[in-house]
Amino acid sequence: MPQYGLVERRRRAAARAALYGSLALVAAATFAARTFLHLPPTGGPETNWFGVAWESKTPVRLLQQYLRIDTTEATGDELAAALFLATPLEAAGIPVHIETVGKHTNLWAELRGDDPRPLILLSHMDVEPVLTPDEWAHPAFAGVIDPPYLVGRGAFDMKSYTIAQLLALLDLEAKHPRPRRSVLLMATAGEESGSDLGMRWLVAEHPELFRNAWAVITEGGVVEARSLESLKYWGIEVGQKRFAEAVACAPTRHRLLELRQDIVDAGFRSTGLEVDPQVRRFWQVYRSSRDLPALRRLLADPAAFVHDPAEFLDLPGYLRSMLRNELIPFQPEPAAGGGFQMRLIFHLLPGADLEAARRDLLPEWMTGGVALAFRAPPPPAAISAEDHPVVAAIDAELRRDYGRPLVGPYFLPWSASDSRFLRPLGIPCYGFAPFLLLTPETERMGRNNEQITLPGLVQGTDLYRRVVERLATAEQ
């Protein structure tokens, strides 16, 4: 833990006492008994949520408290979130490092093992803004239990993951104070706004944290299910598009709205398609899980769309995105120095040439009267290997719970995680979603009334615990 002056130490102590007094009491009892954190095995999907005292479940109670800390960019307090996470870690004797950079805060805590190459459990503390609080059924930062849901901003993206990682590390320390492999829990700042003072900062200022990293588990995976009893595909994210950012500036909002519409209109095309080898590999595995024969046929040969793109538009949007570079314009907003600005994000295939993509997606005829500023993107990154022990451990624990679910790779088309900064360093990164949720539940991510099912949270937390224990204690 960094050294602080007397005033700062007292302020931090007071903050903890005021904000997390109840958590500290729970943590003290937890580590005295060493049994409070242990969750029963799931044994399969649990659909009967009636009559369950969810508020007594450790993952539910901790996520409730974590959701009550506003960590949005405009009004949030990432330091308060870091102190919340640090309390039980320090109570367990796990060293915690908290670093504040401007208004942002990063935290990391390592349980040392015989093998110093750590498994990194990565999450971010910040959440999407709450733009229309009056449209929420419950206050966005109240952490309300409304069975079968726990409601709050960040319930899915990604405070539930952080709680699962926290409990996995605490449980590992309780059972294996010196595991075979070191495990590093890392909660970063500002991921929703570009990671400038989060992961980008840590990579630049603390390269020692990543120099010997064995693997990373973070967000980005998918769970597809017909119902809670019928799984289609449990996707482990092994790669994603390369993101490049730009800002367009103009004297008027109208000019940027014109540019935005031109970009949107140009996006409705079926040309310029490319088939990345890793996308082809993903489609080969993924197609067998599709219910519709027509979609299985389309997925059989992605190269066919390049030569005859007529059927390209029959693909779901997320699959179309895997075959082409795309440009996503945001809404214009007032610029600090006057005029207006609009954020642009290039979504590039792994092998794409950035300059060629810029000329194709943002030609000169679109940008008259607009000033453009481009930001250097992360370097190109290799797709993480599918035969890594992380994937094998996830597959083994899912088979224990659900029989023989179809586990395979997933290529992330529309969003990006902080893995994009770590894969270029040669670190295998895997997006793993441990919670069995139906698609309509995940679609609330970042929107009004964001929520997670209570059975999914409890079962997914136990699944995550077992995956981490398997990876940290096995001989590899």
Side-chain angles (χ1 to χ4, degrees):
M1 175 71 72
Q3 298 298 313
Y4 299 98
L6 177 61
V7 173
E8 177 63 9
R9 290 199 301 271
R10 288 178 174 174
R11 188 193 70 78
R12 289 163 64 86
R16 293 189 186 195
L19 290 171
Y20 315 123
S22 60
L23 176 60
L25 291 175
V26 169
T30 296
F31 296 108
R34 290 299 192 190
T35 59
F36 185 66
L37 291 175
H38 299 172
L39 298 170
T42 62
E46 176 184 335
T47 57
N48 181 17
W49 49 267
F50 295 97
V52 178
W54 294 109
E55 64 280 356
S56 69
K57 304 288 187 181
T58 302
V60 176
R61 184 169 59 254
L62 293 185
L63 182 55
Q64 268 192 296
Q65 295 178 5
Y66 194 27
L67 291 175
R68 289 167 183 166
I69 304 172
D70 178 356
T71 52
T72 57
E73 173 74 18
T75 61
D77 186 352
E78 289 171 346
L79 176 58
L83 293 173
F84 171 83
L85 299 174
T87 298
L89 292 167
E90 291 177 337
I94 301 174
V96 178
H97 301 265
I98 294 176
E99 183 176 64
T100 298
V101 187
K103 63 176 289 187
H104 291 286
T105 302
N106 298 296
L107 172 146
W108 61 96
E110 185 172 17
L111 177 62
R112 293 289 181 90
D114 296 331
D115 188 335
R117 298 173 300 165
L119 168 66
I120 299 177
L121 307 179
L122 173 62
S123 70
H124 57 84
M125 293 180 284
D126 64 309
V127 296
E128 291 277 8
V130 179
L131 301 177
T132 53
D134 292 343
E135 296 180 11
W136 283 65
H138 305 285
F141 298 107
V144 172
I145 295 177
D146 188 359
Y149 301 108
L150 175 55
V151 183
R153 172 59 85 229
F156 185 73
D157 183 19
M158 65 172 300
K159 289 186 173 181
S160 51
Y161 290 74
T162 308
I163 294 302
Q165 293 175 347
L166 173 68
L167 291 178
L169 186 61
L170 293 173
D171 185 80
L172 180 66
E173 193 282 332
K175 294 179 178 178
H176 309 278
R178 180 78 178 184
R180 292 186 182 275
R181 179 170 303 283
S182 299
V183 179
L184 176 64
L185 183 139
M186 184 175 293
T188 64
E191 192 271 349
E192 303 291 1
S193 55
S195 303
D196 287 351
L197 297 179
M199 184 53 69
R200 291 179 191 261
W201 171 270
L202 290 173
V203 167
E205 300 298 326
H206 295 283
E208 71 281 359
L209 293 174
F210 310 100
R211 189 169 294 126
N212 297 315
W214 179 67
V216 172
I217 304 180
T218 186
E219 62 183 336
V222 299
V223 181
E224 298 180 357
R226 302 174 186 88
S227 68
L228 293 179
E229 288 74 30
S230 178
L231 291 170
K232 288 177 63 175
Y233 195 76
W234 209 301
I236 311 301
E237 186 265 328
V238 296
Q240 55 194 249
K241 280 188 165 181
R242 184 182 176 208
F243 278 25
E245 301 178 39
V247 176
C249 298
T252 66
R253 180 189 296 271
H254 177 72
R255 178 65 191 96
L256 292 182
L257 288 174
E258 288 181 329
L259 174 60
R260 186 177 189 276
Q261 190 60 53
D262 286 339
I263 293 172
V264 171
D265 291 343
F268 291 96
R269 60 179 183 173
S270 56
T271 58
L273 307 183
E274 301 177 23
V275 183
D276 184 88
Q278 298 299 331
V279 171
R280 182 191 295 274
R281 163 63 183 156
F282 164 60
W283 281 25
Q284 289 173 346
V285 178
Y286 190 64
R287 66 184 294 265
S288 64
S289 68
R290 300 304 89 190
D291 293 328
L292 297 177
L295 185 53
R296 290 198 298 271
R297 178 183 59 81
L298 290 172
L299 288 172
D301 183 15
F305 299 113
V306 177
H307 306 294
D308 182 11
E311 290 185 311
F312 172 76
L313 297 177
D314 290 334
L315 288 171
Y318 72 102
L319 293 174
R320 293 201 302 267
S321 177
M322 297 181 193
L323 296 179
R324 64 182 180 182
N325 301 314
E326 296 175 315
L327 177 58
I328 309 301
F330 287 66
Q331 288 290 342
E333 58 185 17
F340 293 85
Q341 63 184 21
M342 181 172 67
R343 188 182 180 203
L344 305 173
I345 304 292
F346 293 83
H347 292 192
L348 307 177
L349 294 171
D353 179 78
L354 176 57
E355 291 304 320
R358 286 176 179 172
R359 292 192 298 269
D360 180 48
L361 298 172
L362 196 62
E364 290 186 3
W365 68 262
M366 282 190 187
T367 59
V370 176
L372 296 169
F374 294 92
R375 182 176 190 178
I383 304 297
S384 299
E386 298 172 34
D387 59 355
H388 195 278
V390 165
V391 177
I394 293 171
D395 180 62
E397 293 300 335
L398 286 172
R399 289 175 185 273
R400 168 181 165 173
D401 285 351
Y402 302 109
R404 298 182 63 84
L406 182 55
V407 176
Y410 193 81
F411 184 85
L412 200 60
W414 280 335
S415 59
S417 71
D418 277 342
S419 292
R420 68 188 189 274
F421 305 113
L422 300 180
R423 284 197 178 104
L425 303 179
I427 303 172
C429 297
Y430 299 94
F432 172 44
F435 311 111
L436 177 53
L437 307 174
L438 299 180
T439 300
E441 297 163 354
T442 62
E443 287 177 347
R444 290 182 180 270
M445 180 180 69
R447 301 180 180 179
N448 292 341
N449 300 305
E450 185 176 350
Q451 60 193 24
I452 187 169
T453 61
L454 295 160
L457 172 63
V458 172
Q459 294 167 5
T461 300
D462 181 61
L463 170 61
Y464 213 104
R465 174 187 65 80
R466 290 184 280 113
V467 168
V468 171
E469 182 178 10
R470 178 184 287 263
L471 290 169
T473 59
E475 293 188 16
Q476 295 159 353

